């Protein structure tokens, strides 16, 4: 099982890693951004110092202040504005790069990740890591950057205050911290209550929804009272939270007014004392007040940054968990020597398999599949046929026992080489964005155009591809591809044909195709499986009858194996199910008569019935 656990991170570890692995490579740009932050901090705090000089010059009736005063103010605000702008530009440049790098890395991890890990999480949750989590990391990084600027500004403002009158500076900071501390506490309380309110509202919606969507069951089982009781609790809880929220919200405004009043009164007292003792003049006082003013904004923002920083940390934890998940499917070393043609013989020895969620899907499978032969797997949906297929390319590793290809254990094969020996044609023939040619060419690295066209011809796909507006260069948009099921199937056969692997895993389509498509596909598949070891999850009678061997599966076990005739004669599950659905004798005599037209027609009638018996709502999500 893949390792999805990560130890709980602390802020230093989380952001430290963000710095080391993602931001540090851009350190020179970060230094530039830091330089601009310094400009912003100095111009902001310098503004206060400058005000002191201006007022002092006015007090002393200095005539030159008339030009340097306004110019200085403009200069300072201008440098602050430009510094701010350039800091944002450089910072955004770095953070967008980092965001894209993280997304690329995450995607890279995901496409190589063990299926066991991917299936453990809903696709939507994985997608959310790309968008929501990485975005949260970016937002938090912006806030952390901003906090550095705010700290610099705060420090610079305090230095300005100290330079004017250290005693007043300390007094002012203390008065404001003491006055506004309680407001911060009330604010945090309000945030906590409103987030509990949010989650209670979610519970309420859930409860109401549940009750209404399951109303039939509720009525039949007379669960109304029980339902009412559980939802009444939710409504009551919400009401208590609302009362508490409004109480705290109502408290904030008078609290601010009273505390601000007290702060100003203490401030006046301090000013009066210091001015009487001659420690500061009016200019100094104005400088101090201005410095205090410019310090409040960064101080307030630093308080808010904490919450965003925590959110970012939680997002980082989730992102790192994905980055650090370990693959359990280890690579082997065996490759076929040059010039040795893989035969494609497969052997299952006492193979059992348990899915990561604990579901035991296969039990003691023993099966030898001879090279070049076709084995049809039949059995009800959920019997374990797709699971057998999943094990061969090592999408999952067997929990017990061993599987050998050409006498070599799967785990000893080099993964790339192993997968090169296998082609898959599944029901839901997957197309990727790209041209038709590329979609066939995915089958084999470095395939030539001629080889692709030859494969398409052999798969009976050349005709419809040539009729496309741009022929082989027609672009496919998988989300709105207008290819029919039959055409997709033929493209996928062409891809497998080009791949030319000795082993073919074939999951026959269950959905009915028109007769012409079906004939074309049969022709393609016959050509494809020729000379290859073919394992087919069979849904058509024709396929079952043509197979060299039929493997009957039930509840994760192989319950019988043989040719159609042998299996019928033996009278096991196969015969039971078959007799249940078909007029066996008629079908049999049809077959003995050879493939007369009448026989084929009869068989087609039976095809639909047999697919019901072998597929019974077959699902193919797992390959
Ligand atoms: P078949 O192909 O014969 O319909 P499968 O091999 O798809 O059967 O499934 C065999 C059993 O394993 C089923 O009960 C199915 O629900 C279960 N199964 C399939 N895939 C998974 C999975 N990823 N996690 C847990 N159980 C699974």
């Amino acid at each position: 099982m893949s390792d999805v656990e990560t130890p709980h991170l602390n802020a230093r570890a989380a952001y430290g890693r963000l710095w080391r692995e993602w931001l540090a490579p851009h350190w020179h740009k970060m230094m530039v951004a830091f330089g601009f932050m310094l400009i912003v901090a100095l111009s902001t705090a310098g503004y206060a110092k400058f005000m002191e000089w201006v007022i002092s010059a006015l007090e002393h009736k200095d005539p030159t202040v008339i030009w340097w005063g306004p110019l200085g103010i403009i200069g300072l605000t201008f440098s602050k504005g430009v510094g701010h702008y350039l800091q944002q530009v450089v910072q955004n440049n770095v953070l967008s790069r980092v965001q894209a790098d993280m997304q690329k890395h995450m995607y890279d991890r995901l496409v190589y990740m063990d299926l066991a890990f991917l299936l453990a999480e809903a696709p939507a949750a994985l997608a959310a890591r790309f968008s929501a989590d990485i975005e949260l990391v970016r937002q938090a990084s912006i806030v952390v950057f901003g906090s550095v600027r705010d700290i610099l500004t705060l420090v610079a403002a305090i230095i300005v205050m100290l330079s004017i009158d250290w005693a007043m500076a300390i007094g002012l900071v203390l008065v404001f911290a003491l006055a506004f501390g309680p407001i911060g506490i009330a604010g945090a309380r309000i945030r906590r209550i409103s987030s509990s309110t949010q989650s209670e509202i979610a519970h309420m919606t859930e409860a109401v929804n549940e009750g209404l969507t399951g109303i039939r069951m509720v009525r039949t089982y007379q669960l109304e009272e029980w339902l009412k009781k559980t939802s009444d609790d939710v409504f009551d809880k919400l009401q208590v939270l609302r009362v508490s929220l409004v109480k705290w919200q109502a408290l904030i405004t008078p609290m601010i007014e009273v505390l601000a009043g007290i702060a100003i009164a203490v401030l006046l007292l301090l000013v009066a004392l210091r001015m009487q003792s001659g420690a500061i003049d009016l200019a100094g006082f104005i400088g101090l007040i201005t410095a205090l003013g410019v310090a409040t904004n960064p101080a307030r923002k630093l308080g808010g940054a904490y919450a965003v920083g925590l959110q970012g940390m939680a997002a980082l934890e989730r992102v790192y968990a994905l980055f650090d998940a370990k693959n359990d499917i280890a690579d082997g070393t065996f490759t076929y020597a040059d010039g040795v043609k893989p035969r494609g013989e497969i052997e299952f020895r006492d193979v059992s398999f348990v899915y990561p969620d604990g579901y035991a899907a296969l039990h003691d499978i023993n099966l030898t599949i001879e090279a070049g032969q076709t084995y049809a797997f039949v059995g009800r949906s959920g019997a374990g046929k797709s699971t057998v297929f999943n094990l061969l390319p090592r999408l999952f590793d067997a929990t017990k026992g061993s599987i050998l290809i050409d006498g070599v254990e799967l785990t000893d094969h080099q993964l790339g080489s192993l997968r090169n020996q296998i082609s898959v044609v599944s029901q839901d023939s997957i197309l990727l964005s790209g041209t038709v040619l590329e979609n066939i060419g995915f089958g084999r690295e470095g395939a030539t155009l001629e080889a692709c066209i030859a494969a398409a011809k052999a798969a009976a796909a050349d005709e419809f591809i040539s009729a496309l507006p741009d022929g082989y260069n027609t672009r496919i948009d998988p989300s709105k591809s207008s290819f029919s099921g039959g055409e997709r199937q033929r493209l996928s056969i062409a891809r497998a044909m080009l791949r030319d692997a000795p082993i073919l895993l074939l999951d026959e389509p269950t959905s009915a195709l028109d007769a012409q498509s079906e004939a074309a596909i049969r022709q393609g598949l016959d050509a494809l499986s020729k000379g290859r070891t073919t394992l087919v999850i069979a849904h058509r009678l024709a396929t079952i009858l043509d197979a060299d061997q039929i493997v009957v599966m039930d509840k994760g076990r192989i319950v019988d194996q043989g040719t159609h005739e042998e299996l019928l004669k033996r009278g096991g599950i196969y015969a039971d199910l078959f007799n249940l659905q078909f007029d066996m004798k008629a079908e049999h005599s049809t077959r003995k008569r050879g493939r007369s037209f009448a026989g084929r027609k009869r068989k087609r009638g039976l095809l639909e019935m047999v697919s019901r018996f072998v597929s019974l709502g077959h699902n193919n999500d797992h390959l």
Side-chain angles (χ1 to χ4, degrees):
M1 186 55 255
S2 299
D3 174 22
V4 291
E5 303 283 319
T6 43
H8 192 72
L9 294 167
N10 61 36
R12 246 180 72 194
Y15 285 104
R17 181 168 170 188
L18 181 67
W19 165 258
R20 277 194 314 279
E21 293 179 6
W22 301 96
L23 292 167
H26 308 283
W27 68 270
H28 43 288
K29 282 192 186 165
M30 307 267 298
M31 285 297 121
V32 175
F34 188 75
F36 289 125
M37 284 180 198
L38 211 55
I39 291 176
V40 173
L42 292 179
S43 344
T44 312
Y47 190 82
K49 190 72 191 168
F50 192 74
M51 284 311 279
E52 187 201 356
W53 292 336
V54 170
I55 303 293
S56 178
L58 286 174
E59 265 188 321
H60 295 102
K61 309 230 174 345
D62 177 356
T64 57
V65 72
I66 199 105
W67 62 267
W68 62 258
L71 269 184
I73 302 270
I74 292 173
L76 282 170
T77 42
F78 189 76
S79 81
K80 179 181 170 183
V82 171
H84 199 274
Y85 170 74
L86 292 175
Q87 179 224 322
Q88 300 278 327
V89 170
V90 178
Q91 164 188 319
N92 189 44
N93 185 299
V94 173
L95 291 181
S96 311
R97 184 70 261 149
V98 166
Q99 185 176 22
D101 287 347
M102 284 182 117
Q103 282 169 329
K104 277 190 203 166
H105 184 67
M106 190 180 273
Y107 197 65
D108 193 56
R109 296 279 308 139
L110 283 180
V111 287
Y112 284 107
M113 197 162 278
D114 282 357
L115 223 60
F117 180 96
L118 294 179
L119 294 177
E121 234 179 301
L126 286 174
R129 306 244 179 130
F130 279 91
S131 45
D133 282 343
I134 294 192
E135 180 57 26
L136 269 178
V137 171
R138 196 177 81 96
Q139 299 286 350
S141 312
I142 291 176
V143 169
V144 171
F145 265 97
S147 300
V148 173
R149 192 187 56 215
D150 291 336
I151 290 171
L152 287 175
T153 311
L154 207 57
V155 169
I158 290 174
I159 291 174
V160 166
M161 287 158 96
L162 289 173
S163 79
I164 296 171
D165 178 18
W166 65 268
M168 266 294 277
I170 294 173
L172 279 182
V173 171
L174 279 181
V175 166
F176 271 77
L178 289 178
F180 288 95
I183 295 174
I185 294 172
R189 189 63 188 254
I190 289 176
R191 269 200 299 276
R192 252 206 320 276
I193 302 175
S194 52
S195 91
S196 312
T197 312
Q198 287 303 327
S199 68
E200 278 309 318
I201 290 178
H203 281 153
M204 180 183 76
T205 322
E206 216 170 88
V208 171
N209 239 339
E210 214 169 78
L212 293 181
T213 45
I215 196 73
R216 274 181 228 210
M217 206 262 289
V218 170
R219 288 277 157 83
T220 323
Y221 285 81
Q222 294 166 45
L223 296 175
E224 293 91 341
E225 280 308 312
W226 179 82
L227 208 62
K228 247 173 60 154
K229 200 188 150 317
T230 43
S231 47
D232 280 355
D233 286 349
V234 178
F235 297 136
D236 288 342
K237 243 193 217 157
L238 204 55
Q239 188 262 345
V240 171
L241 280 172
R242 280 210 191 98
V243 168
S244 163
L245 188 65
V246 172
K247 206 170 71 192
W248 280 95
Q249 277 171 338
L251 200 62
I252 280 268
T253 317
M255 207 162 137
I256 290 179
E257 281 182 14
V258 171
L259 289 172
I262 296 174
I264 288 170
V266 176
L267 192 70
L268 266 178
L269 186 70
L270 275 176
V271 171
L273 286 174
R274 294 301 282 174
M275 277 180 123
Q276 267 172 17
S277 69
I280 54 163
D281 52 10
L282 183 67
F285 173 64
I286 298 218
L288 276 173
I289 293 292
T290 316
L292 192 67
V294 297
T296 22
N297 196 29
R300 196 175 44 79
K301 281 206 270 181
L302 280 174
Y306 180 70
V308 184
L310 280 186
Q311 273 184 350
M313 195 175 90
L316 272 173
E317 280 182 35
R318 290 190 291 269
V319 168
Y320 291 151
L322 220 157
F323 286 173
D324 298 341
K326 296 209 173 30
N327 274 355
D328 289 334
I329 308 272
D331 211 349
T333 52
F334 174 83
T335 52
Y336 291 90
D338 278 348
V340 172
K341 204 168 156 17
R343 286 178 303 123
E345 184 192 81
I346 303 169
E347 192 184 345
F348 287 79
R349 288 188 191 155
D350 291 324
V351 171
S352 296
F353 178 70
V354 180
Y355 274 108
D357 67 358
Y359 185 83
L362 294 180
H363 308 275
D364 306 314
I365 300 290
N366 281 294
L367 177 68
T368 302
I369 299 177
E370 287 174 38
Q373 303 251 305
T374 295
Y375 281 61
F377 285 73
V378 299
R380 288 195 173 84
S381 170
K385 305 177 296 290
S386 306
T387 306
V388 167
F389 277 31
N390 287 346
L391 296 185
L392 284 173
R394 288 187 74 200
L395 302 185
F396 297 96
D397 272 343
T399 319
K400 195 177 109 310
S402 49
I403 304 173
L404 296 90
I405 289 187
D406 292 339
V408 178
E409 285 221 27
L410 281 194
T411 45
D412 291 335
H413 280 265
Q414 196 198 19
L415 214 49
S417 156
L418 168 74
R419 290 179 180 163
N420 269 339
Q421 311 311 324
I422 300 171
S423 303
V424 177
V425 176
S426 66
Q427 284 190 44
D428 50 351
S429 314
I430 305 287
L431 298 178
L432 302 178
S433 325
T435 61
V436 169
L437 190 66
E438 283 165 340
N439 262 279
I440 297 173
F442 290 139
R444 191 182 197 90
E445 216 175 307
T448 60
L449 173 67
E450 291 71 34
C452 289
I453 296 178
K457 281 190 173 141
D462 178 64
E463 200 176 317
F464 86 84
I465 296 173
S466 305
L468 292 171
D470 289 326
Y472 281 82
N473 292 320
T474 307
R475 289 204 74 79
I476 297 178
D477 178 354
S479 61
K480 46 180 187 270
S481 165
S482 53
F483 290 121
S484 71
E487 288 166 345
R488 283 165 169 265
Q489 193 77 24
R490 275 178 275 168
L491 280 178
S492 138
I493 295 171
R495 190 187 290 166
M497 191 72 86
L498 183 70
R499 189 168 180 78
D500 194 24
I503 297 171
L504 169 66
L505 303 181
L506 176 62
D507 189 358
E508 273 195 326
T510 40
S511 50
L513 296 167
D514 59 88
Q516 198 184 351
S517 294
E518 177 150 348
I521 288 177
R522 277 241 64 81
Q523 178 197 338
L525 284 177
D526 285 348
L528 180 61
S529 60
K530 208 171 166 101
R532 294 176 218 278
T533 312
T534 304
L535 281 69
V536 49
I537 297 179
H539 299 297
R540 285 164 214 286
L541 187 59
T543 313
I544 298 174
L545 297 181
D546 286 346
D548 297 303
Q549 285 281 303
I550 299 165
V551 179
V552 188
M553 292 192 70
D554 191 39
K555 300 192 183 93
R557 295 178 196 277
I558 294 181
V559 289
D560 213 343
Q561 183 189 339
T563 60
H564 177 73
E565 279 79 11
E566 286 166 0
L567 291 173
L568 281 184
K569 213 178 289 163
R570 237 182 337 263
I573 287 191
Y574 182 81
D576 286 349
L577 291 169
F578 197 79
N579 286 328
L580 207 66
Q581 301 270 353
F582 302 105
D583 175 359
M584 193 253 296
K585 281 187 203 116
E587 167 56 26
H588 228 168
S589 56
T590 304
R591 193 160 167 76
K592 276 188 185 149
R593 259 192 277 135
R595 304 205 165 188
S596 66
F597 180 68
R600 255 184 273 141
K601 246 171 86 175
R602 159 144 213 103
K603 200 156 74 183
R604 192 165 304 135
L606 289 167
L607 281 179
E608 273 173 30
M609 290 161 80
V610 88
S611 43
R612 242 179 286 142
F613 139 59
V614 284
S615 67
L616 284 175
H618 173 87
N619 69 54
N620 66 314
D621 295 341
H622 319 302
L623 196 70

